[in-house]
Amino acid sequence: MGKNFCHYNINNICRNLGEDKSLALPLFHAYTGCDTTSCFLAKGKKSAWRVWKSYPEVTQAFLHFVDHPFRAVDVSCEHFRHLERFTVLLYDITSNLLSVNEARRELFCKKKRSLENIPPTQDALLQHIKRVLYQGGIWTTCRQAQPSVPPPEGWGWTMEDNHWAPVWMTIPEAAKVCKELIKCGCKSESGCVSRCRCTKAGLPCTELCSCNCQK
């Protein structure tokens, strides 16, 4: 068996975790990234585990979907809101925000985070959660003799060229449709002038700008 063989007592591990957390583990694993679900960039299992410890309320959301496999979800669902809050904390453990869209704005505009280091949009998060629930449903029904597994369509997957591909989002990418991402760095004490990028685009200056205009 090799010199690095280790024996772990699964019963002791479950006892230390407690029943609820033990039952919720499959959904936690799928949510934070497994073979069929994407992970959050640079957010590993240890980081997610620390957030879980600081926000135990998300356990009830995991357990709900364990008890109700393949249950549909939308952004107004209470359990979606718990998962959304968990995601916000994954990117900023000190945040008091509930919405990933609001957290994106704050981290990008005020804390100058790069786009790679802010949460996904609410639309993209919903598609991720659908894939998580699909995989979680397969795991939680695997002991049934004849589990009723729906087709992947509608669960964050779509058929492309005879194979299943993830649906990353259902709204256009912001960078392609939002001129509001334009920002300026004008240095004039009196405010922006005709050479300002925002002025040329016919847009007011925003919190993204480093100019002296009133925002």
Side-chain angles (χ1 to χ4, degrees), residues 8-63:
Y8 295 100
N9 190 316
I10 191 65
N11 292 324
N12 286 342
I13 293 174
C14 291
R15 192 177 302 113
N16 290 330
L17 288 177
E19 182 179 4
D20 284 353
K21 217 162 193 177
S22 297
L23 291 172
L25 272 177
L27 265 294
F28 170 81
H29 177 48
Y31 194 82
T32 53
C34 67
D35 288 345
T36 56
T37 62
S38 53
C39 65
F40 298 96
L41 182 64
K43 306 299 178 185
K45 299 293 183 182
K46 289 184 179 180
S47 298
W49 188 266
R50 286 193 292 269
V51 174
W52 195 3
K53 291 176 68 175
S54 70
Y55 185 61
E57 292 88 344
V58 76
T59 305
Q60 295 307 311
F62 291 143
L63 289 175

Side-chain angles (χ1 to χ4, degrees), residues 152-198:
E153 190 75 42
W155 290 94
W157 296 95
T158 188
M159 181 65 75
E160 291 183 359
D161 299 326
N162 294 319
H163 71 274
W164 292 105
V167 177
W168 297 116
M169 62 185 73
T170 61
I171 58 177
E173 293 182 46
K176 295 181 179 179
V177 298
C178 290
K179 289 185 177 180
E180 287 81 357
L181 290 177
I182 294 174
K183 60 181 178 179
C184 73
C186 300
K187 305 298 183 183
S188 174
E189 293 292 333
S190 59
C192 295
V193 292
S194 58
R195 296 178 62 183
C196 169
R197 294 181 64 190
C198 298

Side-chain angles (χ1 to χ4, degrees), residues 62-82:
F62 291 143
L63 289 175
H64 171 78
F65 294 116
V66 168
D67 294 336
H68 303 89
F70 305 113
R71 175 69 62 87
V73 64
D74 58 43
V75 296
S76 64
C77 168
E78 175 188 1
H79 304 293
F80 176 90
R81 291 196 293 270
H82 281 307

